[in-house]
Amino acid sequence: MSESNASGWRSAAGLVLSAALFGAYAHGGAAHLLGFVALAPWLLALDQVRGIGGALRHGLLMSVAFAVAVFAWFGLAVGDYIGIGPVAGLAVLLVAAPLLQPQLIAFALVRHVVGRRHGPLLRALAGASAWVATEWLVPRLLDDTLGHGLHPSPWLRQGADLGGAPGLTFALILVNEAIAMAIARRREGIRALAAPLSIALLLPLAMGGYGLWRLSSLMPSHAGEVASLRVGMVQANIVDYERLRREMGAYEVVRHVLDTHIRLSRVATEQQDADALLWSETVYPTTFRNAKSEAGAEFDEAILDLVALERVPLVFGTYDRDEAGEYNAAAFVEPGKGLLGFYRKTNPFPLTEYVPAWLDGPRFRALLPWAGTWRAGDGPRVFPLRSVDGREVQVLPLICLDDVDSGLTIDGARLGAQAILGMSNDSWFTRYPLGAELHLNVAAFRSIETRLPQLRVTANGISATIDNTGEVTARTAMDQEAVLVGTLHARTPAPTLMVRWGDWVGPTAFAGLLLFGLATVIGTSRRWWARRRTPGTGIDADALRDAILLTPFWRIVIAVLRLVARGGLLWMALQVLTNTGAPINPVAQAWLFAGLVLLPEAAAWSLMRAFAATLRIEGDTLVLEQSTHRIEMRTGDIAGARPWRLPLPTMGVALRLQAGPWRHAIAGIDPQWLIERLRTAGAASASDNLPPSRAAILGHALHTTHHRLLDHPLFKFGLFPLLPALPAYRLHQVIAYGGTFGEWQTYGAKAWLLGLFVWWASWAVNLAMIAAGLRLLVEAGTLLPLVLRPQKTTDVRRVLEIAARVLFYLGVPLWLAVRLWPW
């Protein structure tokens, strides 16, 4: 077997072994220790990858292998739920794996790119940052991350109150990196092993030591010192309402559901002394106190009668409705007072419960008739859970996917919650209990992060009581009727860094990567300018250029990413222009901009940076130098140079050698300049370009009319939006809070700065859409002289670019001044 084949087999074996270890890790129990080593075989395989294409392939393959090993149950459950069958559901999971587990792809790419220029420590930190930053940026259905697998360990999981589950993930990746490095250096002696083995040993010990200390600090005082409530959770084991409707009729189904819950509720209050009752998500499958029929009003009265007769408050899953639509909701009913209010589910399940407005429409409904029509709620609410004798606990209701949103729970803790009430319907996990276990573990992390105890009820399991350390102190089995009673205390939760700082690990990792990338760009630019300005090098400064080396495959990938980004921006601009007057949510708009525009554009930029090169011509030699490669070719061996007809993803030149086409193309450079330089140096390229082709003229126009500062994205969309945002934000502060820093003085610096960020982001997005419209006009205006009088193309484009800059940099501030001037 050749060395390359052997390396390929070792690489595949490392990937498969890591996937298998992750599969075991996901089952919990003692296997949680595998989290510290599961990634190591794949890391060793990644270390053997030579090019960025290989890193991308590894990331894609690992996303599929990971999905099969850890989430095969999810594909099977989805297939059963939507009626396409488990095999088809699994196939959908495999196809969607790169979208469901994008952190593996980002990790492989960033780790490889950073590892080409820096040592193992920076490589490990950058890879771990890319992992948790991607998980923060790209929403996932169950918000799963490696750190959740440490839930079986009472000591190791306590670190989640510092950095959440993402913080544990970051630590796990670093330990795996250290173990992989130790394995790679095993033949280099004890000194080479000392550093990685120390990290691999000390980091888990530090995690465990912190957990041990934290557990001792959380020992509760005597329960009698504070008010407490016993809450009876009813798990009725009634599922598949649609099937029951077909068999029994709508009225009889609701009657059966209510009768069962009332019977079990009386068991809780009369036999187990429950002070309050908790039913599961959507257990009452219609609107409460907003009846759609006489039967609905009758059922409402039955619930109110139960509360009045048993003299206990009741929290249950139902529907709520207003002029905007219906909501998955939780109703709070109190004896003697009736309905206190509703909490509306903030995170409805994608597609099955909720369809975003930009995706919804008749065609979509025809394709997926089972898609839901509920609307998303507007954030956390804290309600009093109060017994008839006045004992009271402030509770935060969460419905199903709400409990995978750490930010939502943190916001609830800041509102004064003393406990969490979780309601879910995990019936689609009945045949796949691993899904129900994962959901329970993820929910338990909300109690660790906020130190709020939690009562969690489901339709048919797993219902549970969870203390403020994340320990599941009592639970029911799946697929059975049960009543579980848990006790809540009116105790102020222990302070945590997560509640103080929020979900900070992902944003910090993302910011760190951006700063690292910026520092790399600045360092590269300085070295480039230093080479240009250093006398005595024998290199003509005008013969030195930055370039990008692209194969056809990577050209297509980057072009598609840039087209997606620009198309998404134009689509957003069109949506704003055609808006019929409905208010635009700036936060939702910013997130949409990040997903449709920033992410693909950042991916394209990162790939182009990975393939960046310095081009120069030394005598009769064309030299292309990358960080790890140097390519030299005699200009006499170049038979032709042809500019790209379409400047996608940017302008470029394809070279043809005497021996045939060259597999790379040179992008990001003025094609007319390069062709003239090659001619001067002796390349036989004149036959291809007499006179200069329109493609060369267009590329020259694109290159020479670009302004280094005014057209730079950081200046144009980073700094410049502050000019309109600051006065507009000040006006908002004066109107809403009475002064420039009114919100700061009322709610603190964080609220003021967050508001400023939202205003800046809103202006940045809108300015980007304005710039897109101007860019469209400039590009259209450039095509006219290119067709009619090519030699005038550069001059016309220069005039158009100046006009667009004037409109952008002067027109927008002038418009704002006119709007704000007190006429």
Side-chain angles (χ1 to χ4, degrees), residues 416-448:
Q418 296 170 318
I420 299 169
L421 295 184
M423 291 163 279
S424 187
N425 183 353
D426 289 348
S427 59
W428 64 311
F429 293 143
T430 302
R431 295 178 56 192
Y432 311 99
L434 190 60
E437 292 286 352
L438 173 62
H439 197 180
L440 175 62
N441 288 348
V442 172
F445 271 84
R446 304 294 83 82
S447 290
I448 304 172

PDB file of all heavy atoms in Angstrom, residues 416-448:
ATOM      1  N   GLY A 416     -36.421  38.554  38.353  1.00  0.00           N
ATOM      2  CA  GLY A 416     -36.747  38.199  39.731  1.00  0.00           C
ATOM      3  C   GLY A 416     -37.305  36.811  39.937  1.00  0.00           C
ATOM      4  O   GLY A 416     -37.844  36.520  41.021  1.00  0.00           O
ATOM      5  N   ALA A 417     -37.195  35.943  38.950  1.00  0.00           N
ATOM      6  CA  ALA A 417     -37.707  34.576  39.113  1.00  0.00           C
ATOM      7  C   ALA A 417     -36.963  33.842  40.225  1.00  0.00           C
ATOM      8  O   ALA A 417     -35.769  34.038  40.429  1.00  0.00           O
ATOM      9  CB  ALA A 417     -37.575  33.815  37.801  1.00  0.00           C
ATOM     10  N   GLN A 418     -37.707  32.993  40.945  1.00  0.00           N
ATOM     11  CA  GLN A 418     -37.123  32.151  41.990  1.00  0.00           C
ATOM     12  C   GLN A 418     -37.150  30.671  41.609  1.00  0.00           C
ATOM     13  O   GLN A 418     -36.547  29.856  42.293  1.00  0.00           O
ATOM     14  CB  GLN A 418     -37.898  32.352  43.302  1.00  0.00           C
ATOM     15  CG  GLN A 418     -37.783  33.769  43.835  1.00  0.00           C
ATOM     16  CD  GLN A 418     -38.729  34.025  44.989  1.00  0.00           C
ATOM     17  OE1 GLN A 418     -39.894  33.603  44.964  1.00  0.00           O
ATOM     18  NE2 GLN A 418     -38.244  34.727  46.003  1.00  0.00           N
ATOM     19  N   ALA A 419     -37.837  30.341  40.524  1.00  0.00           N
ATOM     20  CA  ALA A 419     -37.913  28.946  40.062  1.00  0.00           C
ATOM     21  C   ALA A 419     -38.377  28.946  38.612  1.00  0.00           C
ATOM     22  O   ALA A 419     -38.922  29.932  38.102  1.00  0.00           O
ATOM     23  CB  ALA A 419     -38.868  28.133  40.936  1.00  0.00           C
ATOM     24  N   ILE A 420     -38.162  27.817  37.953  1.00  0.00           N
ATOM     25  CA  ILE A 420     -38.564  27.622  36.564  1.00  0.00           C
ATOM     26  C   ILE A 420     -39.675  26.584  36.518  1.00  0.00           C
ATOM     27  O   ILE A 420     -39.578  25.531  37.165  1.00  0.00           O
ATOM     28  CB  ILE A 420     -37.377  27.135  35.702  1.00  0.00           C
ATOM     29  CG1 ILE A 420     -36.257  28.173  35.702  1.00  0.00           C
ATOM     30  CG2 ILE A 420     -37.825  26.828  34.277  1.00  0.00           C
ATOM     31  CD1 ILE A 420     -34.961  27.653  35.090  1.00  0.00           C
ATOM     32  N   LEU A 421     -40.736  26.891  35.768  1.00  0.00           N
ATOM     33  CA  LEU A 421     -41.775  25.895  35.471  1.00  0.00           C
ATOM     34  C   LEU A 421     -41.669  25.549  33.988  1.00  0.00           C
ATOM     35  O   LEU A 421     -41.945  26.384  33.134  1.00  0.00           O
ATOM     36  CB  LEU A 421     -43.170  26.444  35.782  1.00  0.00           C
ATOM     37  CG  LEU A 421     -43.494  26.770  37.240  1.00  0.00           C
ATOM     38  CD1 LEU A 421     -44.953  27.201  37.364  1.00  0.00           C
ATOM     39  CD2 LEU A 421     -43.215  25.579  38.153  1.00  0.00           C
ATOM     40  N   GLY A 422     -41.267  24.331  33.703  1.00  0.00           N
ATOM     41  CA  GLY A 422     -41.127  23.890  32.324  1.00  0.00           C
ATOM     42  C   GLY A 422     -42.294  23.023  31.897  1.00  0.00           C
ATOM     43  O   GLY A 422     -42.723  22.129  32.636  1.00  0.00           O
ATOM     44  N   MET A 423     -42.831  23.291  30.712  1.00  0.00           N
ATOM     45  CA  MET A 423     -43.923  22.497  30.147  1.00  0.00           C
ATOM     46  C   MET A 423     -43.522  22.068  28.749  1.00  0.00           C
ATOM     47  O   MET A 423     -43.080  22.895  27.943  1.00  0.00           O
ATOM     48  CB  MET A 423     -45.214  23.334  30.074  1.00  0.00           C
ATOM     49  CG  MET A 423     -45.810  23.650  31.432  1.00  0.00           C
ATOM     50  SD  MET A 423     -47.001  25.021  31.344  1.00  0.00           S
ATOM     51  CE  MET A 423     -45.872  26.392  31.363  1.00  0.00           C
ATOM     52  N   SER A 424     -43.648  20.792  28.447  1.00  0.00           N
ATOM     53  CA  SER A 424     -43.232  20.307  27.139  1.00  0.00           C
ATOM     54  C   SER A 424     -44.128  19.155  26.708  1.00  0.00           C
ATOM     55  O   SER A 424     -44.805  18.532  27.520  1.00  0.00           O
ATOM     56  CB  SER A 424     -41.764  19.854  27.175  1.00  0.00           C
ATOM     57  OG  SER A 424     -41.306  19.528  25.890  1.00  0.00           O
ATOM     58  N   ASN A 425     -44.109  18.917  25.396  1.00  0.00           N
ATOM     59  CA  ASN A 425     -44.775  17.743  24.837  1.00  0.00           C
ATOM     60  C   ASN A 425     -43.734  16.986  24.030  1.00  0.00           C
ATOM     61  O   ASN A 425     -43.486  17.288  22.863  1.00  0.00           O
ATOM     62  CB  ASN A 425     -45.948  18.164  23.948  1.00  0.00           C
ATOM     63  CG  ASN A 425     -46.714  16.972  23.409  1.00  0.00           C
ATOM     64  OD1 ASN A 425     -46.313  15.822  23.587  1.00  0.00           O
ATOM     65  ND2 ASN A 425     -47.814  17.224  22.726  1.00  0.00           N
ATOM     66  N   ASP A 426     -43.066  16.034  24.676  1.00  0.00           N
ATOM     67  CA  ASP A 426     -42.008  15.268  24.036  1.00  0.00           C
ATOM     68  C   ASP A 426     -42.509  13.934  23.499  1.00  0.00           C
ATOM     69  O   ASP A 426     -41.753  12.961  23.414  1.00  0.00           O
ATOM     70  CB  ASP A 426     -40.867  15.014  25.037  1.00  0.00           C
ATOM     71  CG  ASP A 426     -40.090  16.284  25.360  1.00  0.00           C
ATOM     72  OD1 ASP A 426     -40.297  17.282  24.649  1.00  0.00           O
ATOM     73  OD2 ASP A 426     -39.288  16.277  26.307  1.00  0.00           O
ATOM     74  N   SER A 427     -43.775  13.897  23.133  1.00  0.00           N
ATOM     75  CA  SER A 427     -44.363  12.615  22.734  1.00  0.00           C
ATOM     76  C   SER A 427     -43.732  12.055  21.464  1.00  0.00           C
ATOM     77  O   SER A 427     -43.764  10.845  21.245  1.00  0.00           O
ATOM     78  CB  SER A 427     -45.875  12.774  22.539  1.00  0.00           C
ATOM     79  OG  SER A 427     -46.167  13.738  21.549  1.00  0.00           O
ATOM     80  N   TRP A 428     -43.174  12.924  20.621  1.00  0.00           N
ATOM     81  CA  TRP A 428     -42.558  12.403  19.402  1.00  0.00           C
ATOM     82  C   TRP A 428     -41.246  11.695  19.694  1.00  0.00           C
ATOM     83  O   TRP A 428     -40.631  11.107  18.826  1.00  0.00           O
ATOM     84  CB  TRP A 428     -42.403  13.509  18.369  1.00  0.00           C
ATOM     85  CG  TRP A 428     -41.481  14.639  18.741  1.00  0.00           C
ATOM     86  CD1 TRP A 428     -41.479  15.344  19.895  1.00  0.00           C
ATOM     87  CD2 TRP A 428     -40.442  15.180  17.931  1.00  0.00           C
ATOM     88  NE1 TRP A 428     -40.505  16.313  19.865  1.00  0.00           N
ATOM     89  CE2 TRP A 428     -39.859  16.230  18.664  1.00  0.00           C
ATOM     90  CE3 TRP A 428     -39.964  14.900  16.653  1.00  0.00           C
ATOM     91  CZ2 TRP A 428     -38.798  16.995  18.176  1.00  0.00           C
ATOM     92  CZ3 TRP A 428     -38.915  15.673  16.171  1.00  0.00           C
ATOM     93  CH2 TRP A 428     -38.343  16.696  16.921  1.00  0.00           C
ATOM     94  N   PHE A 429     -40.783  11.766  20.972  1.00  0.00           N
ATOM     95  CA  PHE A 429     -39.612  11.014  21.401  1.00  0.00           C
ATOM     96  C   PHE A 429     -39.981   9.650  22.001  1.00  0.00           C
ATOM     97  O   PHE A 429     -39.103   8.957  22.508  1.00  0.00           O
ATOM     98  CB  PHE A 429     -38.830  11.795  22.466  1.00  0.00           C
ATOM     99  CG  PHE A 429     -38.198  13.050  21.957  1.00  0.00           C
ATOM    100  CD1 PHE A 429     -38.146  14.175  22.764  1.00  0.00           C
ATOM    101  CD2 PHE A 429     -37.640  13.119  20.695  1.00  0.00           C
ATOM    102  CE1 PHE A 429     -37.554  15.349  22.314  1.00  0.00           C
ATOM    103  CE2 PHE A 429     -37.049  14.284  20.231  1.00  0.00           C
ATOM    104  CZ  PHE A 429     -37.001  15.399  21.040  1.00  0.00           C
ATOM    105  N   THR A 430     -41.270   9.295  21.976  1.00  0.00           N
ATOM    106  CA  THR A 430     -41.703   8.082  22.674  1.00  0.00           C
ATOM    107  C   THR A 430     -40.913   6.859  22.226  1.00  0.00           C
ATOM    108  O   THR A 430     -40.471   6.047  23.045  1.00  0.00           O
ATOM    109  CB  THR A 430     -43.208   7.858  22.447  1.00  0.00           C
ATOM    110  OG1 THR A 430     -43.935   9.005  22.903  1.00  0.00           O
ATOM    111  CG2 THR A 430     -43.679   6.632  23.210  1.00  0.00           C
ATOM    112  N   ARG A 431     -40.732   6.718  20.919  1.00  0.00           N
ATOM    113  CA  ARG A 431     -39.984   5.567  20.396  1.00  0.00           C
ATOM    114  C   ARG A 431     -38.483   5.787  20.417  1.00  0.00           C
ATOM    115  O   ARG A 431     -37.719   4.870  20.140  1.00  0.00           O
ATOM    116  CB  ARG A 431     -40.435   5.265  18.960  1.00  0.00           C
ATOM    117  CG  ARG A 431     -41.884   4.808  18.852  1.00  0.00           C
ATOM    118  CD  ARG A 431     -42.279   4.571  17.417  1.00  0.00           C
ATOM    119  NE  ARG A 431     -41.398   3.617  16.751  1.00  0.00           N
ATOM    120  CZ  ARG A 431     -41.372   3.392  15.442  1.00  0.00           C
ATOM    121  NH1 ARG A 431     -42.186   4.092  14.657  1.00  0.00           N
ATOM    122  NH2 ARG A 431     -40.549   2.507  14.924  1.00  0.00           N
ATOM    123  N   TYR A 432     -38.066   7.023  20.737  1.00  0.00           N
ATOM    124  CA  TYR A 432     -36.641   7.354  20.703  1.00  0.00           C
ATOM    125  C   TYR A 432     -36.281   8.096  21.990  1.00  0.00           C
ATOM    126  O   TYR A 432     -36.085   9.314  21.995  1.00  0.00           O
ATOM    127  CB  TYR A 432     -36.320   8.208  19.470  1.00  0.00           C
ATOM    128  CG  TYR A 432     -36.889   7.610  18.198  1.00  0.00           C
ATOM    129  CD1 TYR A 432     -38.088   8.093  17.660  1.00  0.00           C
ATOM    130  CD2 TYR A 432     -36.258   6.543  17.574  1.00  0.00           C
ATOM    131  CE1 TYR A 432     -38.627   7.536  16.515  1.00  0.00           C
ATOM    132  CE2 TYR A 432     -36.801   5.978  16.423  1.00  0.00           C
ATOM    133  CZ  TYR A 432     -37.981   6.483  15.897  1.00  0.00           C
ATOM    134  OH  TYR A 432     -38.511   5.919  14.764  1.00  0.00           O
ATOM    135  N   PRO A 433     -36.217   7.388  23.124  1.00  0.00           N
ATOM    136  CA  PRO A 433     -36.038   8.046  24.430  1.00  0.00           C
ATOM    137  C   PRO A 433     -34.732   8.818  24.562  1.00  0.00           C
ATOM    138  O   PRO A 433     -34.622   9.674  25.438  1.00  0.00           O
ATOM    139  CB  PRO A 433     -36.091   6.871  25.423  1.00  0.00           C
ATOM    140  CG  PRO A 433     -35.788   5.654  24.607  1.00  0.00           C
ATOM    141  CD  PRO A 433     -36.318   5.923  23.245  1.00  0.00           C
ATOM    142  N   LEU A 434     -33.744   8.540  23.687  1.00  0.00           N
ATOM    143  CA  LEU A 434     -32.504   9.307  23.764  1.00  0.00           C
ATOM    144  C   LEU A 434     -32.778  10.796  23.521  1.00  0.00           C
ATOM    145  O   LEU A 434     -32.130  11.664  24.105  1.00  0.00           O
ATOM    146  CB  LEU A 434     -31.496   8.784  22.725  1.00  0.00           C
ATOM    147  CG  LEU A 434     -30.066   9.320  22.851  1.00  0.00           C
ATOM    148  CD1 LEU A 434     -29.468   8.971  24.205  1.00  0.00           C
ATOM    149  CD2 LEU A 434     -29.193   8.770  21.728  1.00  0.00           C
ATOM    150  N   GLY A 435     -33.752  11.106  22.661  1.00  0.00           N
ATOM    151  CA  GLY A 435     -34.119  12.489  22.429  1.00  0.00           C
ATOM    152  C   GLY A 435     -34.707  13.135  23.669  1.00  0.00           C
ATOM    153  O   GLY A 435     -34.412  14.297  23.990  1.00  0.00           O
ATOM    154  N   ALA A 436     -35.571  12.409  24.373  1.00  0.00           N
ATOM    155  CA  ALA A 436     -36.161  12.943  25.601  1.00  0.00           C
ATOM    156  C   ALA A 436     -35.087  13.159  26.673  1.00  0.00           C
ATOM    157  O   ALA A 436     -35.125  14.145  27.424  1.00  0.00           O
ATOM    158  CB  ALA A 436     -37.241  11.996  26.117  1.00  0.00           C
ATOM    159  N   GLU A 437     -34.110  12.244  26.751  1.00  0.00           N
ATOM    160  CA  GLU A 437     -33.021  12.405  27.714  1.00  0.00           C
ATOM    161  C   GLU A 437     -32.180  13.634  27.391  1.00  0.00           C
ATOM    162  O   GLU A 437     -31.795  14.396  28.291  1.00  0.00           O
ATOM    163  CB  GLU A 437     -32.119  11.158  27.688  1.00  0.00           C
ATOM    164  CG  GLU A 437     -32.768   9.896  28.218  1.00  0.00           C
ATOM    165  CD  GLU A 437     -32.920   9.891  29.730  1.00  0.00           C
ATOM    166  OE1 GLU A 437     -32.387  10.805  30.399  1.00  0.00           O
ATOM    167  OE2 GLU A 437     -33.569   8.972  30.251  1.00  0.00           O
ATOM    168  N   LEU A 438     -31.889  13.853  26.097  1.00  0.00           N
ATOM    169  CA  LEU A 438     -31.119  15.027  25.708  1.00  0.00           C
ATOM    170  C   LEU A 438     -31.875  16.304  26.066  1.00  0.00           C
ATOM    171  O   LEU A 438     -31.283  17.254  26.603  1.00  0.00           O
ATOM    172  CB  LEU A 438     -30.820  14.987  24.211  1.00  0.00           C
ATOM    173  CG  LEU A 438     -30.157  16.241  23.625  1.00  0.00           C
ATOM    174  CD1 LEU A 438     -28.805  16.477  24.275  1.00  0.00           C
ATOM    175  CD2 LEU A 438     -30.016  16.127  22.116  1.00  0.00           C
ATOM    176  N   HIS A 439     -33.174  16.327  25.766  1.00  0.00           N
ATOM    177  CA  HIS A 439     -33.968  17.519  26.083  1.00  0.00           C
ATOM    178  C   HIS A 439     -33.966  17.791  27.581  1.00  0.00           C
ATOM    179  O   HIS A 439     -33.838  18.951  28.020  1.00  0.00           O
ATOM    180  CB  HIS A 439     -35.400  17.325  25.572  1.00  0.00           C
ATOM    181  CG  HIS A 439     -36.169  18.599  25.485  1.00  0.00           C
ATOM    182  ND1 HIS A 439     -37.478  18.653  25.057  1.00  0.00           N
ATOM    183  CD2 HIS A 439     -35.845  19.878  25.782  1.00  0.00           C
ATOM    184  CE1 HIS A 439     -37.906  19.893  25.084  1.00  0.00           C
ATOM    185  NE2 HIS A 439     -36.941  20.649  25.528  1.00  0.00           N
ATOM    186  N   LEU A 440     -34.076  16.753  28.384  1.00  0.00           N
ATOM    187  CA  LEU A 440     -34.050  16.916  29.831  1.00  0.00           C
ATOM    188  C   LEU A 440     -32.700  17.460  30.297  1.00  0.00           C
ATOM    189  O   LEU A 440     -32.623  18.372  31.128  1.00  0.00           O
ATOM    190  CB  LEU A 440     -34.348  15.578  30.507  1.00  0.00           C
ATOM    191  CG  LEU A 440     -34.241  15.550  32.038  1.00  0.00           C
ATOM    192  CD1 LEU A 440     -35.250  16.504  32.662  1.00  0.00           C
ATOM    193  CD2 LEU A 440     -34.451  14.128  32.558  1.00  0.00           C
ATOM    194  N   ASN A 441     -31.600  16.917  29.759  1.00  0.00           N
ATOM    195  CA  ASN A 441     -30.272  17.364  30.164  1.00  0.00           C
ATOM    196  C   ASN A 441     -30.037  18.823  29.783  1.00  0.00           C
ATOM    197  O   ASN A 441     -29.456  19.599  30.554  1.00  0.00           O
ATOM    198  CB  ASN A 441     -29.192  16.483  29.526  1.00  0.00           C
ATOM    199  CG  ASN A 441     -29.135  15.105  30.150  1.00  0.00           C
ATOM    200  OD1 ASN A 441     -29.741  14.866  31.192  1.00  0.00           O
ATOM    201  ND2 ASN A 441     -28.434  14.190  29.509  1.00  0.00           N
ATOM    202  N   VAL A 442     -30.463  19.186  28.572  1.00  0.00           N
ATOM    203  CA  VAL A 442     -30.302  20.577  28.137  1.00  0.00           C
ATOM    204  C   VAL A 442     -31.100  21.504  29.055  1.00  0.00           C
ATOM    205  O   VAL A 442     -30.618  22.568  29.465  1.00  0.00           O
ATOM    206  CB  VAL A 442     -30.733  20.734  26.665  1.00  0.00           C
ATOM    207  CG1 VAL A 442     -30.755  22.207  26.267  1.00  0.00           C
ATOM    208  CG2 VAL A 442     -29.791  19.971  25.745  1.00  0.00           C
ATOM    209  N   ALA A 443     -32.322  21.100  29.397  1.00  0.00           N
ATOM    210  CA  ALA A 443     -33.145  21.912  30.298  1.00  0.00           C
ATOM    211  C   ALA A 443     -32.489  22.054  31.659  1.00  0.00           C
ATOM    212  O   ALA A 443     -32.550  23.121  32.293  1.00  0.00           O
ATOM    213  CB  ALA A 443     -34.535  21.295  30.435  1.00  0.00           C
ATOM    214  N   ALA A 444     -31.825  20.991  32.130  1.00  0.00           N
ATOM    215  CA  ALA A 444     -31.173  21.042  33.443  1.00  0.00           C
ATOM    216  C   ALA A 444     -30.064  22.088  33.481  1.00  0.00           C
ATOM    217  O   ALA A 444     -29.785  22.667  34.539  1.00  0.00           O
ATOM    218  CB  ALA A 444     -30.614  19.660  33.788  1.00  0.00           C
ATOM    219  N   PHE A 445     -29.427  22.345  32.345  1.00  0.00           N
ATOM    220  CA  PHE A 445     -28.365  23.356  32.323  1.00  0.00           C
ATOM    221  C   PHE A 445     -28.908  24.751  32.582  1.00  0.00           C
ATOM    222  O   PHE A 445     -28.171  25.631  33.029  1.00  0.00           O
ATOM    223  CB  PHE A 445     -27.612  23.302  30.996  1.00  0.00           C
ATOM    224  CG  PHE A 445     -26.453  22.350  31.017  1.00  0.00           C
ATOM    225  CD1 PHE A 445     -26.641  21.001  30.780  1.00  0.00           C
ATOM    226  CD2 PHE A 445     -25.181  22.794  31.309  1.00  0.00           C
ATOM    227  CE1 PHE A 445     -25.582  20.114  30.817  1.00  0.00           C
ATOM    228  CE2 PHE A 445     -24.107  21.923  31.359  1.00  0.00           C
ATOM    229  CZ  PHE A 445     -24.306  20.582  31.102  1.00  0.00           C
ATOM    230  N   ARG A 446     -30.197  24.994  32.298  1.00  0.00           N
ATOM    231  CA  ARG A 446     -30.760  26.301  32.612  1.00  0.00           C
ATOM    232  C   ARG A 446     -30.775  26.524  34.128  1.00  0.00           C
ATOM    233  O   ARG A 446     -30.611  27.652  34.587  1.00  0.00           O
ATOM    234  CB  ARG A 446     -32.190  26.413  32.053  1.00  0.00           C
ATOM    235  CG  ARG A 446     -32.357  26.160  30.575  1.00  0.00           C
ATOM    236  CD  ARG A 446     -31.681  27.202  29.710  1.00  0.00           C
ATOM    237  NE  ARG A 446     -30.268  26.945  29.513  1.00  0.00           N
ATOM    238  CZ  ARG A 446     -29.779  26.100  28.612  1.00  0.00           C
ATOM    239  NH1 ARG A 446     -30.583  25.417  27.840  1.00  0.00           N
ATOM    240  NH2 ARG A 446     -28.464  25.966  28.478  1.00  0.00           N
ATOM    241  N   SER A 447     -30.957  25.451  34.887  1.00  0.00           N
ATOM    242  CA  SER A 447     -30.934  25.582  36.342  1.00  0.00           C
ATOM    243  C   SER A 447     -29.521  25.808  36.859  1.00  0.00           C
ATOM    244  O   SER A 447     -29.327  26.498  37.861  1.00  0.00           O
ATOM    245  CB  SER A 447     -31.535  24.326  36.989  1.00  0.00           C
ATOM    246  OG  SER A 447     -32.928  24.253  36.768  1.00  0.00           O
ATOM    247  N   ILE A 448     -28.521  25.229  36.204  1.00  0.00           N
ATOM    248  CA  ILE A 448     -27.135  25.457  36.627  1.00  0.00           C
ATOM    249  C   ILE A 448     -26.728  26.896  36.326  1.00  0.00           C
ATOM    250  O   ILE A 448     -26.118  27.571  37.159  1.00  0.00           O
ATOM    251  CB  ILE A 448     -26.182  24.477  35.912  1.00  0.00           C
ATOM    252  CG1 ILE A 448     -26.605  23.031  36.157  1.00  0.00           C
ATOM    253  CG2 ILE A 448     -24.749  24.689  36.374  1.00  0.00           C
ATOM    254  CD1 ILE A 448     -25.828  22.012  35.333  1.00  0.00           C
TER     255      ILE A 448
END
